[in-house]
Amino acid sequence: MLPFPAESLLLPILLLAATAGLIPALLIRQHYRHQRFQRIQLARLQSLRDLILNLQRHRGLSTGVLSGDSGMRAELDNRRYQLDRIIREAPMDDARYAERWSGIADHWSRLRQTDNHTVENNLDQHHQIIRNALFLIQDVAADDRVAPHPANQRCIWNEVLEAAEWSGQARALGTGMAVAGTSSAAQRVRMRFLSDKIQDLSGTAFETLKDAPSSSVSNQHLNEAQQAVERLLHEVENELLTADPIVIPAKTYFDDATATVDALFTLVADTLGAMAEHNRPRQR
């Protein structure tokens, strides 16, 4: 005979059963909340990638227009409208990013009116807003809850994006030089600096990505990016730094430099695709 009534065991048993049923429900809820967070973070990374890519192109086009090439104005206007849409639709309402995102959006509202700037001020303002956007995308990508961060992915958000930015600066500066058909000593010094940065950062990136045991980028895209960087550096050296006068058409140089920037950003797109695949719900 039990030393206490059997009914006294009923309540603890019922509580234990209820708790046992509640725990799986809480875990499932937590899992879906985590998946939703990952999807939003990936959407933020995609928006910031598109923002940086289009800001860089806007910088090159606006430099060409301000330097006297009116043939770039239609494409510049189109790029401006795309940037307006990206900033309007980007899912950057998270409190961790809201203040910096608001600063970027405010900066763009003043920068979008290209005709109000000199060539030098236009370049400086673009450099600043892109730098802030780069810092933001690196912070979003560094969140451990988004996806694993092997060395090759860290390389994408650092060396690859930095190489793309220096290539974008070389595109803008070189476009202005090509429009003018000549260059100052200060421009050549700056271009030499940009060329060295592109070579160093891209070299590190390509070596890291090729040596990675399981890279998030395709070998074809990696080879294409490497070839594009080599072509750009060769063009900078032979068509801009040692040419006097500069005879390469501004649009030709702009398009060639754009191909390099786009090839580097394709590696970023590959990585975003791999991250999305990693976070995709699995069939059970």
Side-chain angles (χ1 to χ4, degrees):
M1 188 173 189
L2 291 173
F4 44 81
E7 292 80 359
S8 64
L9 293 175
L10 183 59
L11 182 58
I13 292 172
L14 290 175
L15 289 173
L16 182 61
T19 303
L22 182 62
I23 290 176
L26 290 175
L27 290 175
I28 292 172
R29 183 177 179 183
Q30 184 180 24
H31 172 72
Y32 282 113
R33 187 185 296 119
H34 180 62
Q35 283 192 330
R36 181 175 180 275
F37 171 80
Q38 290 176 327
R39 288 194 297 271
I40 294 173
Q41 287 293 83
L42 287 171
R44 289 181 178 127
L45 289 172
Q46 182 65 57
S47 294
L48 287 166
R49 171 197 175 272
D50 294 345
L51 174 70
I52 294 167
L53 180 63
N54 281 276
L55 280 172
Q56 289 176 333
R57 194 165 297 182
H58 185 273
R59 174 178 54 195
L61 290 165
S62 58
T63 299
V65 169
L66 290 172
S67 297
D69 190 338
S70 59
M72 293 184 174
R73 183 169 289 279
E75 189 176 351
L76 173 63
D77 291 340
N78 179 59
R79 198 62 51 183
R80 182 183 299 119
Y81 299 142
Q82 290 192 43
L83 281 161
D84 288 341
R85 176 187 57 77
I86 291 168
I87 289 179
R88 183 174 60 252
E89 297 176 359
M92 298 300 297
D93 54 346
D94 190 288
R96 291 169 296 179
Y97 315 124
E99 183 176 353
R100 283 182 292 171
W101 178 252
S102 177
I104 290 172
D106 179 67
H107 195 169
W108 168 246
S109 70
R110 290 176 277 112
L111 182 59
R112 68 187 304 279
Q113 300 300 330
T114 304
D115 293 336
N116 297 334
H117 301 275
T118 64
V119 173
E120 292 75 14
N121 180 254
N122 179 66
L123 283 172
D124 288 343
Q125 292 301 313
H126 275 90
H127 296 344
Q128 181 180 335
I129 192 173
I130 292 170
R131 176 60 53 184
N132 289 335
L134 281 170
F135 289 152
L136 185 52
I137 196 174
Q138 288 167 347
D139 284 350
V140 174
D143 194 314
D144 290 332
R145 294 170 294 174
V146 178
H149 291 77
N152 64 304
Q153 282 196 14
R154 289 195 297 271
C155 168
I156 290 292
W157 306 116
N158 291 281
E159 285 85 357
V160 170
L161 277 178
E162 293 286 347
E165 167 55 7
W166 294 120
S167 298
Q169 290 194 28
R171 172 176 56 188
L173 179 59
T175 298
M177 293 164 64
V179 170
T182 187
S183 61
S184 66
Q187 286 176 319
R188 291 191 296 276
V189 168
R190 177 65 178 173
M191 184 61 83
R192 176 67 66 189
F193 168 80
L194 294 175
S195 178
D196 290 344
K197 293 293 288 185
I198 296 166
Q199 186 169 29
D200 291 345
L201 284 164
S202 65
T204 299
F206 296 146
E207 183 177 352
T208 300
L209 292 170
K210 284 183 176 180
D211 290 344
S214 58
S215 179
S216 59
V217 304
S218 77
N219 288 331
Q220 178 182 345
H221 291 161
L222 187 58
N223 290 333
E224 289 172 353
Q226 189 165 9
Q227 291 168 11
V229 168
E230 290 171 355
R231 284 195 300 270
L232 175 62
L233 294 176
H234 181 269
E235 202 163 271
V236 165
E237 182 66 33
N238 293 281
E239 301 290 349
L240 297 179
L241 290 176
T242 60
D244 186 23
I246 297 172
V247 297
I248 185 173
K251 189 65 167 61
T252 298
Y253 175 77
F254 178 87
D255 289 343
D256 291 345
T258 295
T260 301
V261 175
D262 288 349
L264 290 167
F265 269 95
T266 296
L267 304 182
V268 180
D270 283 353
T271 299
L272 287 171
M275 293 170 70
E277 179 62 28
H278 174 83
N279 292 323
R280 184 170 291 118
R282 298 291 187 263
Q283 295 293 333
R284 297 189 179 185

